[in-house]
Structures are given as structure tokens and as C-alpha cells.
Amino acid sequence: DIQMTQSPSSLSASVGDRVTITCRASQGISNSLAWYQQKPGKAPKLLVYAASRLESGVPSRFSGSGSGTDYTLIISSLQPEDFATYYCQQYYSTPLTFGGGTKVETK
Amino acid sequence: EVQLVESGGGLVQPGGSLRLSCAASGFTFRNYWMSWVRQAPGKGLEGVANIKQDGSEKYYVDSVEGRYTISRDNAKNSFYLQMNSLRAEDTAVYYCARLRTNYGDWYFDLWGRGTLVTVSS
């Protein structure tokens, strides 16, 4: 199974900050990576797929990049509604696996 | 409205069984792979089982292989998760989700709100 390691596990930030979340795969996954946002008590929401493609309706302040084993989700200017937990997921091979999550909290 | 709605969660004793259902609406259900994803309390996400459009292919995570069975009824726009021999570590919110599988993709583009399964005596 491909292991996905996210860092940091949590971070504190303020509205307007640039936030960077990293996801590392245990082997190369050829950009087969998605990012999700989850708010407390809610289902995850797809943000990015194919490492860098923004899902329809997702604000442009979100962006994804990376290649090989290392991928990044960037929020260019954090908004109040962005405080949440973010997960990466690889789909290079089954079983589909998720990272452990990064909780973005208010500083 | 495009949505997925789970039902069937609840409290069950260790060793017991439970059947989850997911009703789909607002899209052509028979065209999609579908999946169950779970989240233990305070923990991350884990893919549990996937089923192909016609039910001919099914995949399970190792921890549930032989205990869980995923199935679907395209005539009812629904799919299911039969969970047997339940253990305390199966306690989680179970989400049903739609898989987008175009061009080799395998990510979840639509999620239900989840149903809580608690395994406890």
C-alpha cells in the first residue's frame, strides 16, 4: 500500500496568511493526487485533483502543485471559511489511501 | 439535487452485523463506481470498499476483507455495505461517496453526510 504523509499535522494562521500544506507519498504517484477540505461534523469536499486541477466552484486562492512523491496545497490568502482540516489522497494504486490530515486553526 | 444519503448506522455489539444503505439522486447512478469511506472518531479518512458500475468488480481494504460486502441495485439508485463480525475498531462515521474515474482518475467527487456506526457492548 502507498503511505501518504502530510505535514504539518496542524498549523495556526491568521486571515490573509499564505498557507502551505505538504503531502509525501511512499513511492511516486505520477500526479494521481487529490486534496479535500473537511469542516467539523461535515463530509469532505473535493478541492483539487490530478495534483493541480481545481474542482469546479473552488475559489482560486486554492492551488495544488508537485510531482513524483511530493505535493503541495497552497491557500494564497486564508479566509475565515478556510479554517478546516485538509486531506490528501493518492489514486495511483489501490487501495486508495489518504494522508493523516492537516488542521488549520486560528492563530 | 445531486446528493447521496446514508442510512442504517447505529449501535451494535461486537461480533454483530449491520447493513448500511446509500441512496443516490440527481445523477445517472449506473454510470459511476461507488465507494464507502470511514472515519474513526477524531481520526483520518480510510477507504473501505469500492464497487464498479455493474457490480462486477469490488475492492476492499485488507482490514474488512471477508467481513464486509459491498453491493448495489442500479434499479433503486442505491448501494449497500453489509458489515459482519463487527469489532470495536470498526466504530466510525461511514460516508458513501461517488468515484470519478475518467482517464484513470480515482477520487471522490461527491459525498454523503455520513452515518455513525458504534461497536460496543
Side-chain angles (χ1 to χ4, degrees):
Chain A
D1 298 3
I2 297 177
Q3 308 302 317
M4 305 300 293
T5 303
Q6 278 184 245
S7 60
S9 57
S10 66
L11 64 91
S12 298
S14 300
V15 172
D17 284 353
R18 178 182 176 90
V19 169
T20 301
I21 299 168
T22 297
C23 185
R24 173 166 288 176
S26 58
Q27 64 182 77
I29 58 171
S30 298
N31 290 355
S32 298
L33 186 97
W35 289 97
Y36 303 87
Q37 175 194 67
Q38 187 180 33
K39 297 181 179 180
K42 301 295 186 181
K45 172 189 173 183
L46 176 67
L47 298 176
V48 171
Y49 62 95
S52 61
R53 299 193 174 196
L54 211 61
E55 175 70 350
S56 176
V58 174
S60 59
R61 62 181 179 273
F62 291 93
S63 64
S65 64
S67 63
T69 60
D70 296 326
Y71 298 86
T72 300
L73 176 71
I74 292 175
I75 310 172
S76 60
S77 177
L78 194 68
Q79 297 302 298
E81 60 269 31
D82 300 338
F83 291 99
T85 300
Y86 294 83
Y87 294 92
C88 61
Q89 175 237 325
Q90 67 80 23
Y91 50 91
Y92 182 76
S93 67
T94 55
L96 308 177
T97 49
F98 293 86
T102 297
K103 186 174 184 179
V104 177
E105 300 175 297
T106 305
K107 183 180 287 184
Chain B
E1 181 184 2
V2 176
Q3 64 176 356
L4 298 170
V5 179
E6 303 93 340
S7 60
L11 174 64
V12 60
Q13 292 187 338
S17 298
L18 210 56
R19 188 191 194 217
L20 305 183
S21 299
C22 179
S25 59
F27 64 97
T28 306
F29 176 73
R30 64 179 181 273
N31 288 349
Y32 289 88
W33 278 81
M34 301 301 296
S35 185
W36 290 96
V37 178
R38 68 183 178 183
Q39 186 170 36
K43 301 297 185 182
L45 300 165
E46 179 183 41
V48 173
N50 307 321
I51 186 167
K52 193 176 180 179
Q53 289 93 331
D54 62 1
S56 62
E57 292 183 37
K58 304 174 185 180
Y59 298 101
Y60 301 92
V61 68
D62 285 350
S63 58
V64 308
E65 183 80 57
R67 300 188 297 124
Y68 287 16
T69 302
I70 189 171
S71 61
R72 67 190 293 161
D73 185 340
N74 288 343
K76 294 183 177 180
N77 290 336
S78 296
F79 71 114
Y80 312 96
L81 188 68
Q82 177 66 42
M83 304 183 294
N84 298 331
S85 303
L86 283 161
R87 308 166 179 166
E89 55 264 36
D90 296 319
T91 294
V93 174
Y94 284 73
Y95 295 99
C96 61
R98 185 177 75 179
L99 277 163
R100 188 181 296 173
T101 56
N102 300 334
Y103 311 111
D105 295 334
W106 276 79
Y107 52 86
F108 306 96
D109 69 348
L110 179 67
W111 298 68
R113 299 180 69 175
T115 187
L116 177 62
V117 172
T118 303
V119 184
S120 175
S121 55

